Amino acid sequence: MANFYIKRVTALGKNKQDAVIELTPGLNIIHGLSDTGKSSILLCIDFIFGGDEPPFDEITGYSKVRVLVETPRGSITLERELGRRKITVSSTDKLIASGKYDCKYESRSNYETISTLFLRLIGIEEEHQLIKNKDFVTDRLTWRIFAHTFLIDEESVYKKGAIMLPERKEANTLFMSSLLFLMTGQDFAGFDKREEKRIRDAKKSEIVKHINAEINDLSKRKIDMENQLAAYRDINLTEYVHAIISEVSALKERIEQANERGKLLLGEIIEARSELADCDLLLNRYGSLREHFIADIKRLTLIVDG
């Protein structure tokens, strides 16, 4: 997994001196008197992570946050103005492209999200799905799901519960899924979400109705079949079957006789056709002779007349 750290956080404003804090790799503890800007530093980082809450009011004169991130391959500068959703990125790290990044994921947007940038820095390139509730409904893995574990404020330090867990209890499942993915590398894209209980109960009710209807239909068919069988109780089935077999045998014998008779008839037809062909040939020849005789008689008649 790739590593990086936030080296510098800067608040900028027109005609204002830059407010800068330098950080080092590893654990950084920010301490000081009340109202000296400790919370604003965390809010600046969260603001660059895509948070909605501005780190300071515009009446302070500051209007932009700049964060410098150092990686083993170079440095990345991220800038975001108050009230803007886009973050400007300038990078010398070959894994990260310079340009505009969006704070939130939108399917119709042409911009990558800032979550994608930070996930890529820790070696996560592809989109992954995580389970977010007991019905196995999934949601996209984003940087903000576990980003709060890097930014622990003084209120979180003193709270009774685990400081790693999200403030909203309904987000616990999604957070735990993200930790499991980071440890094992396996997401939950292959899980099918469960239907709501009311939907499952409605389907079960419909299935029960269908089964009961089928049982009633089978019962009616059973009664009909029993009534039909009752009509044949006085019949000797063995004799009835033997009679049918005898009838079938007789029909088979008749069919064989008909086949033999058909063969004889076919032979007679072939012979008759042969005789008919001979008769046609003789008839044609007699016709030709008749025409010759008539021609000869006409010539002899002509000679006699002459």
Side-chain angles (χ1 to χ4, degrees):
M1 180 178 288
N3 57 5
F4 70 93
Y5 76 98
I6 297 174
K7 183 177 181 180
R8 184 183 303 120
V9 179
T10 306
L12 305 94
K14 187 176 182 181
N15 301 323
K16 292 285 292 186
Q17 183 179 357
D18 293 349
V20 182
I21 181 170
E22 299 283 345
L23 303 175
T24 59
L27 176 63
N28 289 266
I29 299 176
I30 303 172
H31 61 90
L33 299 175
S34 299
D35 296 328
T36 56
K38 300 187 302 298
S39 298
S40 293
I41 297 171
L42 297 182
L43 287 173
C44 283
I45 296 174
D46 186 67
F47 193 61
I48 289 295
F49 283 171
D52 295 326
E53 184 178 356
F56 34 72
D57 201 309
E58 291 184 355
I59 61 174
T60 61
Y62 292 103
S63 60
K64 183 188 299 184
V65 176
R66 178 186 297 156
V67 170
L68 176 63
V69 174
E70 287 290 335
T71 76
R73 298 164 301 278
S75 62
I76 305 169
T77 302
L78 304 98
E79 289 188 359
R80 182 183 176 187
E81 295 184 13
L82 298 185
R84 298 295 179 87
R85 288 174 52 92
K86 298 294 186 294
I87 299 175
T88 303
V89 175
S90 177
S91 172
T92 61
D93 188 322
K94 62 182 180 180
L95 293 181
I96 304 301
S98 299
K100 298 285 187 180
Y101 287 76
D102 209 327
C103 292
K104 307 292 183 182
Y105 171 78
E106 290 185 0
S107 59
R108 295 175 294 178
S109 176
N110 295 323
Y111 295 95
E112 282 195 295
T113 63
I114 202 66
S115 172
T116 304
L117 183 149
F118 284 106
L119 289 176
R120 189 171 293 146
L121 286 178
I122 62 174
I124 301 175
E125 296 284 345
E126 299 177 352
E127 181 178 313
H128 295 275
Q129 295 292 323
L130 303 178
I131 292 175
K132 70 175 184 179
N133 58 31
K134 64 181 180 179
D135 294 323
F136 289 100
V137 175
T138 59
D139 202 353
R140 298 172 64 254
L141 170 67
T142 64
W143 179 256
R144 294 193 60 79
I145 292 175
F146 52 85
H148 64 277
T149 59
F150 310 136
L151 304 171
I152 302 175
D153 58 23
E154 57 185 352
E155 294 180 0
S156 298
V157 171
Y158 288 107
K159 73 178 183 179
K160 294 182 180 180
I163 62 175
M164 297 285 287
L165 292 177
E167 293 182 3
R168 297 182 298 108
K169 290 185 178 181
E170 59 269 22
N172 285 351
T173 302
L174 187 59
F175 173 66
M176 293 297 184
S177 297
S178 69
L179 292 186
L180 186 60
F181 168 74
L182 293 175
M183 289 187 290
T184 65
Q186 296 181 352
D187 64 11
F188 302 89
F191 280 72
D192 294 328
K193 70 176 183 179
R194 295 176 178 175
E195 294 174 330
E196 295 181 10
K197 185 177 183 302
R198 61 182 182 83
I199 298 177
R200 294 198 301 269
D201 292 342
K203 285 189 174 181
K204 287 180 181 178
S205 176
E206 291 301 320
I207 291 173
V208 170
K209 290 180 180 178
H210 177 71
I211 292 174
N212 289 333
E214 289 292 324
I215 292 174
N216 291 333
D217 184 57
L218 289 174
S219 298
K220 292 179 181 179
R221 291 177 60 188
K222 179 183 177 183
I223 294 172
D224 292 340
M225 294 177 69
E226 288 176 348
N227 293 333
Q228 292 177 9
L229 288 173
Y232 294 97
R233 286 176 183 173
D234 298 333
I235 298 176
N236 190 327
L237 293 178
T238 303
E239 293 180 358
Y240 185 71
V241 171
H242 283 307
I244 293 175
I245 292 174
S246 299
E247 186 176 352
V248 170
S249 299
L251 289 173
K252 183 177 180 182
E253 184 176 355
R254 290 175 60 185
I255 291 171
E256 291 177 353
Q257 292 175 357
N259 287 335
E260 292 296 328
R261 176 60 179 164
K263 291 178 181 179
L264 294 174
L265 290 175
L266 181 61
E268 292 177 359
I269 290 171
I270 293 173
E271 184 178 355
R273 285 181 176 177
S274 178
E275 292 178 357
L276 180 61
D278 292 339
C279 291
D280 287 337
L281 179 61
L282 289 174
L283 181 61
N284 289 333
R285 288 181 177 177
Y286 289 148
S288 298
L289 288 174
R290 180 175 178 277
E291 291 177 356
H292 284 300
F293 289 155
I294 291 173
D296 290 340
I297 291 172
K298 287 181 177 180
R299 283 197 296 272
L300 292 173
T301 302
L302 181 62
I303 292 171
V304 171
D305 292 339

